[in-house]
């Protein structure tokens, strides 16, 4: 049995960009197959009907979800997507006890776990889920 890490997530708006009044924001977590708990910010359009296309966003390499990937996720949510911007393993609010390192295998699994999380979300259209890897993360995915 995999032991789920308890993450200490901040509750206040801690992004480098202003909060949109067109989307709802919440913190979520999910676990990859290596047992690492990942932290993500979920953005859902306030005006939505039925199931939404969904996108998991991460990157640029070395950055955290409070920066570029969060801005992309919020902007996409304003355009009708359910999105999550997540910190990869070992980075930001996500788990992993060796900090600030990268592993192509583990980080690819991070994207797979993010897609699985969206697939299980009742508001996501399971037939329209994608990923967006910005900068370095785009090259690996």
């Amino acid at each position: 049995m995999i032991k789920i890490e308890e993450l200490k997530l901040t509750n206040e708006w801690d992004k480098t960009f202003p909060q949109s009044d067109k989307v709802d924001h919440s913190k979520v977590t999910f676990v990859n197959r290596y047992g690492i708990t990942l932290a993500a910010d979920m953005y859902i359009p306030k005006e939505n009907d039925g199931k939404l296309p969904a996108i998991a966003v991460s990157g640029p390499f070395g950055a955290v979800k409070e920066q570029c990937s969060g801005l992309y996720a919020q902007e996409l949510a304003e355009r009708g997507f359910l999105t999550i911007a997540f910190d990869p393993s070992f980075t930001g609010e996500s788990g992993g006890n060796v900090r600030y390192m990268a592993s192509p295998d583990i980080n690819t699994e991070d994207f797979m776990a993010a897609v699985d999380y969206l697939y299980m979300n009742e508001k996501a259209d399971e037939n329209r889920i994608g990923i967006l890897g910005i900068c370095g993360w785009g090259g690996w995915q």
Side-chain angles (χ1 to χ4, degrees):
M1 183 170 156
I2 294 175
K3 183 179 179 202
I4 297 176
E5 290 175 90
E6 246 185 80
L7 302 180
K8 294 180 179 156
L9 305 176
T10 184
N11 290 320
E12 68 271 354
W13 185 258
D14 58 349
K15 316 303 179 247
T16 60
F17 51 90
Q19 187 170 14
S20 172
D21 59 356
K22 298 176 186 173
V23 302
D24 290 321
H25 166 266
S26 62
K27 296 274 189 163
V28 299
T29 60
F30 51 94
V31 178
N32 70 17
R33 71 182 171 116
Y34 292 99
I36 300 169
T37 303
L38 303 177
D41 289 312
M42 179 178 286
Y43 299 90
I44 303 172
K46 285 187 178 179
E47 293 183 26
N48 65 75
D49 247 351
K51 294 194 173 230
L52 301 169
I55 301 176
V57 185
S58 191
F61 183 76
V64 291
K65 66 189 179 314
E66 290 77 19
Q67 299 168 321
C68 180
S69 60
L71 177 60
Y72 274 56
Q74 181 175 262
E75 289 285 330
L76 287 164
E78 287 180 349
R79 288 159 176 75
F81 292 87
L82 174 123
T83 62
I84 56 173
F86 68 92
D87 287 332
S89 296
F90 316 114
T91 305
E93 288 185 306
S94 285
N97 55 11
V98 178
R99 303 305 293 169
Y100 311 110
M101 65 156 270
S103 164
D105 290 342
I106 293 173
N107 296 134
T108 298
E109 170 57 28
D110 293 343
F111 272 97
M112 293 170 57
V115 168
D116 289 346
Y117 178 83
L118 289 171
Y119 184 85
M120 299 303 294
N121 188 295
E122 65 185 24
K123 294 181 182 182
D125 180 344
E126 63 274 2
N127 295 310
R128 297 188 297 164
I129 298 174
I131 62 173
L132 173 58
I134 302 167
C135 193
W137 293 120
W140 284 6
Q141 308 321 314

